[in-house]
Amino acid sequence: MNLRQRLQEIAPPAKGVAAPAELRAAQRSHDDAEYARLKTDIHRKLLDRVDLEVMSSLAEEPLRQELKVLVERILAEEGSALNAHERKQIVQDIQDEMLGLGPLEPLLADPTVSDILVNGCRQVYVERAGKLELSGLRFANNEHLLKIIDKIVSRVGRRIDESTPMVDARLPDGSRVNAIIPPLALDGPLLSIRRFAVVPLKVDDLLRLKTLTPQMAELIEAMVGARLNLLISGGTGTGKTTMLNVLSGYISHRERIVTIEDAAELQLQQPHVVRLETRPPNIEGKGEITQRALVRNSLRMRPDRIILGEVRGAEVVDMLQAMNTGHEGSMTTVHANTPRDAFIRLENMMGMAGMQMPPKAARAQISSALSAVVQVARLADGRRKIVSIQEVTGMEGDVVTMQEIYTFQQTGIAADGTVLGRFRATGIRPHFLERVRAYGIALSDGMFDPTRIYE
């Protein structure tokens, strides 16, 4: 007799009458609780039988097979009334619990999931194709969820507890993780995972997804090849890191690249890449290594280019100085809704760093360091697009001047919710074309023709 049959014995519906919604919900809840109790019981007995030291020395696949044999043996000894599907499921769940991240493993194995948002033990949302949906996955309780969070953060040498209730970390595949627990999270632990593709997206993938046009891709390749300093601007979840990965793919394999991040997530494919990651303070509040310290140190590492995952504080000063003192072709990202907002944010961050500098001098440093801004956005239908490419042309009075080279214009929304719009060149030829030619890069004729429209 399986779990469903046992539940029907507890509360059988009247013959010929469909069970009410409340009864079906109660059955599902009881079913879940029964399954969770059984899994916990088997897990506990399994831990009593295995040698954890021997277990840690085995490769993953042989260990999975050993766990499967042990779980099936315990089920047979207990005489558990489970059907074949339930037996297979409980073996899989216990393997995931002991070797992976428990209930999250099916989502991590699903390539269509780009975000996993855990709002306490009973509610897990996922993002697919830019849209959020509620998944059916749950954790046994908040303690179970806390155990999974601790397993994630301990892998990268970080910790989370009441004294440090917030943490940024990463998964082995580079996916970004943020966790926050009580007392800051009132309804239980919260976990957010930003997934990254096992195989990083390339420009061909962005062309297929219509994130940009072939002419825009050609221009971006030329800007990277000519060692222009680039800023990628966009809001949360717009694909800034993905765009940074794509742009870095145009860097020559002969160059030495230093990457600096809070939580390492860039997936550069060049052979000569040095990856640096910040370190949070220890339990005594000491030992913190900031992005600013890493940027300063990277200048002594003979980098050809410096790639800063995201500029968000005092490190902006050292990054701009590096761009102005010979480290051409460097790149970074910033949270901002427009290129103009991005420059305002950079200026504000320079003030936060304690720089006693007149606003005009700060803007002059920004305008001389950066050559172009690539603005990315997530549209209402979830698709990501490059909505603007702008060249930084210098200063006029107290204002940083820019000119737009390519733009995306939204024209409406279709009946199915798809955003309608078109890419086009503005007709302005950028000033950096002379530098591009000096590097031996030839751009196609007519790529700045404003009459060519791309839907």
Side-chain angles (χ1 to χ4, degrees):
M1 184 185 299
N2 62 27
L3 293 176
R4 178 65 63 192
Q5 291 169 330
R6 291 204 294 274
L7 286 171
Q8 288 174 346
E9 278 190 356
I10 295 169
K15 188 174 181 180
V17 179
E22 293 83 358
L23 180 57
R24 291 198 299 272
Q27 287 178 339
R28 281 196 301 273
S29 177
H30 192 284
D31 198 343
D32 291 343
E34 185 83 9
Y35 181 83
R37 281 195 295 270
L38 179 61
K39 187 174 74 171
T40 302
D41 186 47
I42 293 173
H43 192 184
R44 186 168 54 249
K45 292 178 180 177
L46 187 63
L47 290 175
D48 291 337
R49 297 191 185 191
V50 299
D51 186 329
L52 295 179
E53 188 173 338
V54 173
M55 177 176 144
S56 64
S57 65
L58 290 175
E60 182 174 343
E61 197 52 43
L63 184 53
R64 280 189 173 272
Q65 291 302 318
E66 289 293 332
L67 289 175
K68 178 182 178 182
V69 171
L70 282 172
V71 172
E72 289 177 343
R73 186 180 301 164
I74 293 171
L75 287 172
E77 291 171 359
E78 295 292 316
S80 301
L82 301 175
N83 59 35
H85 174 73
E86 289 169 338
R87 285 177 178 272
K88 182 178 179 181
Q89 186 63 49
I90 207 163
V91 167
Q92 180 69 51
D93 287 350
I94 289 179
Q95 286 174 332
D96 290 343
E97 197 69 41
M98 297 191 71
L99 303 179
L101 301 180
L104 297 178
E105 285 296 318
L107 299 180
L108 294 172
D110 186 348
T112 65
V113 173
S114 56
D115 274 288
I116 303 171
L117 307 172
V118 183
N119 304 333
C121 63
R122 297 297 178 190
Q123 193 180 65
V124 181
Y125 279 89
V126 297
E127 181 186 287
R128 289 186 173 93
K131 296 184 179 180
L132 288 175
E133 57 187 61
L134 182 64
S135 77
L137 295 180
R138 292 183 174 186
F139 293 81
N141 48 44
N142 283 336
E143 289 72 24
H144 183 203
L145 175 54
L146 273 171
K147 187 191 301 181
I148 297 299
I149 292 173
D150 189 61
K151 184 183 288 189
I152 293 172
V153 301
S154 62
R155 284 176 176 174
V156 291
R158 304 199 175 187
R159 53 191 288 272
I160 188 166
D161 51 36
E162 284 192 7
S163 62
T164 314
M166 294 187 296
V167 70
D168 286 317
R170 68 178 187 279
L171 298 180
D173 65 357
S175 297
R176 183 195 312 161
V177 177
N178 175 267
I180 181 167
I181 65 172
L184 301 186
L186 300 181
D187 299 320
L190 306 175
L191 178 65
S192 306
I193 301 176
R194 170 67 52 80
R195 296 287 313 285
F196 288 97
V198 176
V199 179
L201 292 177
K202 293 183 168 52
V203 68
D204 290 340
D205 300 304
L206 299 189
L207 289 170
R208 175 176 50 81
L209 296 170
K210 297 185 177 180
T211 301
L212 73 171
T213 67
Q215 285 70 27
M216 294 167 71
E218 184 181 355
L219 179 64
I220 288 173
E221 181 178 6
M223 290 193 297
V224 175
R227 300 181 63 85
L228 301 181
N229 294 323
L230 303 179
L231 177 67
I232 301 171
S233 168
T236 300
T238 54
K240 297 185 297 297
T241 304
T242 298
M243 187 59 59
L244 191 57
N245 267 322
V246 171
L247 265 61
S248 66
Y250 292 125
I251 299 175
S252 168
H253 284 231
R254 294 188 296 272
E255 297 186 41
R256 174 176 169 86
I257 307 167
V258 177
T259 69
I260 299 166
E261 301 171 85
D262 264 338
E265 51 190 308
L266 291 172
Q267 299 170 292
L268 273 63
Q269 304 302 304
Q270 285 79 359
H272 199 165
V273 177
V274 179
R275 304 170 72 212
L276 304 179
E277 184 180 55
T278 61
R279 186 177 72 184
N282 60 20
I283 193 170
E284 298 172 349
K286 300 178 180 178
E288 181 180 17
I289 305 296
T290 64
Q291 283 198 128
R292 185 172 193 181
L294 292 178
V295 172
R296 287 178 175 177
N297 188 79
S298 69
L299 302 180
R300 307 182 185 100
M301 299 173 67
R302 200 254 174 230
D304 287 312
R305 302 190 195 227
I306 299 171
I307 298 182
L308 186 59
E310 180 186 340
V311 61
R312 62 178 72 182
E315 66 275 3
V316 66
V317 176
D318 299 276
M319 186 67 197
L320 292 173
Q321 288 177 347
M323 289 177 170
N324 272 322
T325 55
H327 298 88
E328 297 175 323
S330 295
M331 309 177 203
T332 188
T333 72
V334 68
H335 274 80
N337 293 326
T338 67
R340 181 63 60 187
D341 289 345
F343 278 36
I344 294 172
R345 282 213 65 210
L346 293 179
E347 186 180 339
N348 290 340
M349 285 187 279
M350 292 178 73
M352 291 164 54
M355 292 283 292
Q356 301 300 319
M357 183 184 293
K360 184 175 181 179
R363 292 167 195 162
Q365 185 167 347
I366 293 170
S367 66
S368 63
L370 295 170
S371 305
V373 182
V374 178
Q375 183 72 36
V376 292
R378 181 170 60 175
L379 306 184
D381 58 5
R383 292 183 298 164
R384 279 85 167 176
K385 290 189 183 294
I386 294 180
V387 295
S388 181
I389 298 177
Q390 298 202 20
E391 179 189 22
V392 182
T393 56
M395 295 276 293
E396 281 188 10
D398 292 344
V399 180
V400 177
T401 56
M402 293 182 282
Q403 57 184 14
E404 192 166 44
I405 304 168
Y406 279 97
T407 184
F408 175 80
Q409 297 174 326
Q410 182 173 331
T411 58
I413 297 180
D416 61 356
T418 302
V419 173
L420 304 176
R422 57 191 183 182
F423 294 99
R424 71 175 185 86
T426 60
I428 296 173
R429 300 178 69 84
H431 295 166
F432 58 68
L433 283 183
E434 291 184 11
R435 181 185 177 108
V436 169
R437 294 192 194 99
Y439 273 79
I441 302 170
L443 296 177
S444 59
D445 295 334
M447 68 179 303
F448 302 110
D449 183 357
T451 63
R452 299 174 68 175
I453 305 297
Y454 301 89
E455 297 293 339

